[in-house]
Amino acid sequence: QILGKAYAVLSDAEQRAVYDEQGTVDEEGEALRGERDWQEYWRLLFKKITVKDIEDFEKSYKDSEEELADIKAAYVDFEGDMDRIMESVLCVDYTDEPRIRKIIEKAIDSGEVPSYKGFVKESKQKMIARKRRVEKEAREAEKTKDELGLGGEDDLKALIQSRNKDRKKEMDDFLAQLEAKYGNNAKKGGKKTAAKKGK
């Protein structure tokens, strides 16, 4: 309401002239009676954001220089904490993690950003916990959506589900590679310990 009144005064030549000269506003004037449907008025000035607008932004943002800068900034700000990096970067979910990691690793190798222990030495358990937490949040959001009866965008829902299946497979493959790489070392370590105990 305050913004509406300010706009009403500033957009009316007579009201503005009075305000500029005297520093007062005619509270009884037609412009300030509050009869205008401000929501409808602002909608004339600013278009409604649609699903397509969001999708178009996501397409232009991902793999752009802007996203690259945002990822590096988040990495430095949070000192390599992937939980917080994934929460702060726009248009990403847990299935984007392998891609985000590669970007950060490349920046570390080139010396653009420092190497933080929280990123380089992050445990597999923390990665799995992050994945489970986000999956749980997604299930809860879907449940809430059903409870509230939200819908009308089945095409978007189908698109998201399709993308999520592909991304989930990528993430599972990524975790399988980690397990193959580090899981074998852990098993070898266990055998050595057992051998020492036998001696």
Side-chain angles (χ1 to χ4, degrees):
Q1 289 176 343
I2 292 169
L3 285 173
K5 286 183 177 182
Y7 184 83
V9 170
L10 296 174
S11 62
D12 183 283
E14 290 181 16
Q15 288 266 9
R16 182 167 185 163
V18 171
Y19 180 76
D20 288 343
E21 186 179 322
Q22 301 175 6
T24 60
V25 174
D26 180 9
E27 293 286 344
E28 300 302 317
E30 187 180 333
L32 298 183
R33 284 182 192 161
E35 296 170 2
R36 177 179 281 181
D37 183 345
W38 288 106
Q39 186 173 348
E40 185 180 334
Y41 180 71
W42 291 115
R43 184 58 63 218
L44 292 172
L45 297 179
F46 305 103
K47 72 170 189 170
K48 187 176 182 179
I49 301 297
T50 65
V51 170
K52 188 177 184 310
D53 292 330
I54 296 169
E55 288 177 342
D56 289 345
F57 172 76
E58 184 177 346
K59 284 177 188 173
S60 65
Y61 179 75
K62 282 195 172 183
D63 297 317
S64 68
E65 288 298 320
E66 185 181 358
E67 185 197 41
L68 185 62
D70 289 346
I71 291 168
K72 290 177 190 175
Y75 170 78
V76 172
D77 289 345
F78 303 127
E79 297 185 351
D81 185 337
M82 277 302 287
D83 285 346
R84 298 180 72 187
I85 292 168
M86 294 300 291
E87 287 170 2
S88 67
V89 177
L90 297 174
C91 302
V92 301
D93 59 33
Y94 75 92
T95 57
D96 287 300
E97 184 169 332
R99 183 177 67 86
I100 302 298
R101 279 191 168 276
K102 283 180 184 174
I103 290 170
I104 294 171
E105 285 166 0
K106 187 177 178 182
I108 292 170
D109 292 342
S110 65
E112 294 175 66
V113 295
S115 176
Y116 290 115
K117 187 178 178 183
F119 175 80
V120 179
K121 302 285 185 184
E122 185 180 43
S123 69
K124 183 184 166 192
Q125 286 78 12
K126 189 179 176 188
M127 290 183 193
I128 292 170
R130 179 166 53 248
K131 179 186 173 188
R132 286 178 180 162
R133 184 173 63 250
V134 176
E135 285 177 335
K136 182 184 175 187
E137 288 171 0
R139 286 193 300 272
E140 288 173 354
E142 193 63 32
K143 184 181 176 185
T144 302
K145 181 183 170 188
D146 292 339
E147 287 172 356
L148 294 173
L150 299 174
E153 295 189 21
D154 293 335
D155 54 339
L156 176 61
K157 183 178 177 182
L159 177 64
I160 290 171
Q161 287 175 339
S162 172
R163 284 182 181 172
N164 282 347
K165 281 179 187 175
D166 294 340
R167 290 173 173 173
K168 184 177 185 302
K169 185 180 181 308
E170 287 176 13
M171 188 62 180
D172 289 340
D173 291 345
F174 175 64
L175 289 172
Q177 287 173 4
L178 285 175
E179 189 172 5
K181 185 175 180 181
Y182 298 108
N184 292 336
N185 292 339
K187 287 175 185 174
K188 287 176 186 175
K191 287 178 182 176
K192 287 178 183 176
T193 306
K196 285 180 183 177
K197 284 182 181 178
K199 289 180 181 178

